[in-house]
Amino acid sequence: HELSTVVYGTTIDIRTSKQKFENFILKFKLPNETEPLYPRLIAEAIEEQSYNINLNCLNLKAYDEILYQELIKYPSHLIPLFDLAINDLKERLQIDMNIEGDEMDNIYRHMQVKTFNLATSHNMRDLNPKDIDKLISIKGMIIRSGDIIPEMKRALFQCNVCDQIEAPLIEDGQIIEPTACSNCESTYSFTLIHNRCAFADMQLIKVQETPNEIPEGQTPHTINVFAFD
């Protein structure tokens, strides 16, 4: 039997959602324009070595309401899926981009989808537990920002006995260090190879309600936000 591609606990079929997003990227056109928008943005991102594609969510909503709702409800599943689709398309479209020489190396850099411009915005005071794990938009003023610190995205460990390399998964920001070598079966023999690990920028910012949203006589609400990449 064919393995299920439905994400556990959801109604999302990975292959269907990925194909729908690829169709959107390849076919969506702005009003009064004849050429699709996002292939051009992919080419520009490669040329500028930015590796980010800014996804206007209202464009997605206009093209595919169901996929937009999936994104709002399950962003932790859909955004990595969108990243995968963008990178697959990037390699398929490279022939049409007329990129030569050193710029060809940029084709293989991993691109990320950055979402913005949702259809609705939340008031900070209205946030509650039902918004956990959802994609939401809030308005506010940044009143404080911390230092940029590195967050490990990929860890490589080397066995001190046989030099075997292991790349364990990082789950919820926690590195699961291997306890036994799959090659020589030594236990607790691994050392982290710092210069071969991959990191992303992380920054803590504090956001405060805008003055027109603060009820009379109330103190302004603030939210701590972790910004990545």
Side-chain angles (χ1 to χ4, degrees), residues 37-38 41 52-57 59 112-116:
L37 170 65
Y38 288 97
L41 295 184
N52 294 320
I53 295 296
N54 294 319
L55 172 63
N56 186 332
C57 292
N59 291 345
Q112 290 183 298
V113 173
K114 306 290 187 180
T115 56
F116 75 101

Side-chain angles (χ1 to χ4, degrees), residues 59-71:
N59 291 345
L60 181 64
K61 187 176 189 296
Y63 186 85
D64 191 325
E65 174 73 28
I66 294 176
L67 190 59
Y68 172 82
Q69 292 301 331
E70 287 184 358
L71 172 64

Side-chain angles (χ1 to χ4, degrees), residues 96-108:
D96 300 325
M97 294 179 184
N98 298 319
I99 294 176
E100 299 176 354
D102 295 338
E103 290 184 357
M104 285 298 293
D105 294 336
N106 299 330
I107 291 289
Y108 301 101

Side-chain angles (χ1 to χ4, degrees), residues 6 32 38 59 77 94 98 142 196 198 206:
V6 176
N32 302 320
Y38 288 97
N59 291 345
H77 295 298
Q94 64 176 298
N98 298 319
I142 297 176
R196 294 186 61 188
K206 181 164 286 189

Side-chain angles (χ1 to χ4, degrees), residues 99-177:
I99 294 176
E100 299 176 354
D102 295 338
E103 290 184 357
M104 285 298 293
D105 294 336
N106 299 330
I107 291 289
Y108 301 101
R109 289 288 297 270
H110 183 73
M111 277 189 167
Q112 290 183 298
V113 173
K114 306 290 187 180
T115 56
F116 75 101
N117 204 18
L118 302 187
T120 58
S121 179
H122 286 62
N123 188 300
M124 283 190 195
R125 293 173 183 266
D126 297 333
L127 296 180
N128 59 55
K130 72 178 177 62
D131 297 313
I132 293 175
D133 290 333
K134 302 294 190 297
L135 183 62
I136 64 168
S137 174
I138 61 171
K139 293 180 180 179
M141 303 181 297
I142 297 176
I143 59 172
R144 188 176 306 159
S145 61
D147 295 331
I148 295 176
I149 59 177
E151 188 205 31
M152 189 173 292
K153 305 297 287 186
R154 185 187 70 217
L156 286 182
F157 290 85
Q158 185 172 31
C159 177
N160 296 321
V161 178
C162 70
D163 294 334
Q164 170 79 359
I165 299 293
E166 300 280 355
L169 294 175
I170 297 180
E171 299 178 359
D172 297 326
Q174 299 297 314
I175 303 170
I176 311 301
E177 183 176 350

Side-chain angles (χ1 to χ4, degrees):
H1 294 287
E2 189 174 307
L3 291 175
S4 172
T5 59
V6 176
V7 177
Y8 179 78
T10 76
T11 58
I12 297 173
D13 181 89
I14 292 175
R15 285 180 298 194
T16 300
S17 296
K18 182 172 180 287
Q19 184 60 59
K20 290 169 68 175
F21 184 70
E22 289 179 355
N23 291 340
F24 162 74
I25 292 296
L26 291 172
K27 297 178 181 179
F28 177 81
K29 300 176 184 177
L30 291 173
N32 302 320
E33 292 198 4
T34 58
E35 295 298 323
L37 170 65
Y38 288 97
R40 173 169 55 83
L41 295 184
I42 292 173
E44 290 174 356
I46 292 173
E47 184 178 353
E48 297 169 3
Q49 300 185 33
S50 65
Y51 312 115
N52 294 320
I53 295 296
N54 294 319
L55 172 63
N56 186 332
C57 292
L58 290 185
N59 291 345
L60 181 64
K61 187 176 189 296
Y63 186 85
D64 191 325
E65 174 73 28
I66 294 176
L67 190 59
Y68 172 82
Q69 292 301 331
E70 287 184 358
L71 172 64
I72 298 301
K73 293 178 182 177
Y74 309 110
S76 61
H77 295 298
L78 266 295
I79 292 177
L81 191 63
F82 289 178
D83 288 348
L84 179 62
I86 282 287
N87 283 277
D88 286 351
L89 287 174
K90 175 188 63 176
E91 295 184 17
R92 283 162 48 189
L93 292 169
Q94 64 176 298
I95 297 175
D96 300 325
M97 294 179 184
N98 298 319
I99 294 176
E100 299 176 354
D102 295 338
E103 290 184 357
M104 285 298 293
D105 294 336
N106 299 330
I107 291 289
Y108 301 101
R109 289 288 297 270
H110 183 73
M111 277 189 167
Q112 290 183 298
V113 173
K114 306 290 187 180
T115 56
F116 75 101
N117 204 18
L118 302 187
T120 58
S121 179
H122 286 62
N123 188 300
M124 283 190 195
R125 293 173 183 266
D126 297 333
L127 296 180
N128 59 55
K130 72 178 177 62
D131 297 313
I132 293 175
D133 290 333
K134 302 294 190 297
L135 183 62
I136 64 168
S137 174
I138 61 171
K139 293 180 180 179
M141 303 181 297
I142 297 176
I143 59 172
R144 188 176 306 159
S145 61
D147 295 331
I148 295 176
I149 59 177
E151 188 205 31
M152 189 173 292
K153 305 297 287 186
R154 185 187 70 217
L156 286 182
F157 290 85
Q158 185 172 31
C159 177
N160 296 321
V161 178
C162 70
D163 294 334
Q164 170 79 359
I165 299 293
E166 300 280 355
L169 294 175
I170 297 180
E171 299 178 359
D172 297 326
Q174 299 297 314
I175 303 170
I176 311 301
E177 183 176 350
T179 57
C181 179
S182 60
N183 184 49
C184 68
E185 300 183 353
S186 299
T187 57
Y188 300 102
S189 60
F190 281 94
T191 300
L192 183 66
I193 311 174
H194 290 277
N195 63 349
R196 294 186 61 188
C197 297
F199 299 86
D201 289 340
M202 181 177 71
Q203 186 177 29
L204 173 63
I205 59 178
K206 181 164 286 189
V207 181
Q208 181 176 287
E209 286 178 300
T210 54
N212 62 322
E213 293 179 328
I214 304 173
E216 187 175 351
Q218 298 288 320
T219 56
H221 276 212
T222 60
I223 291 178
N224 290 330
V225 178
F226 284 98
F228 297 90
D229 291 316

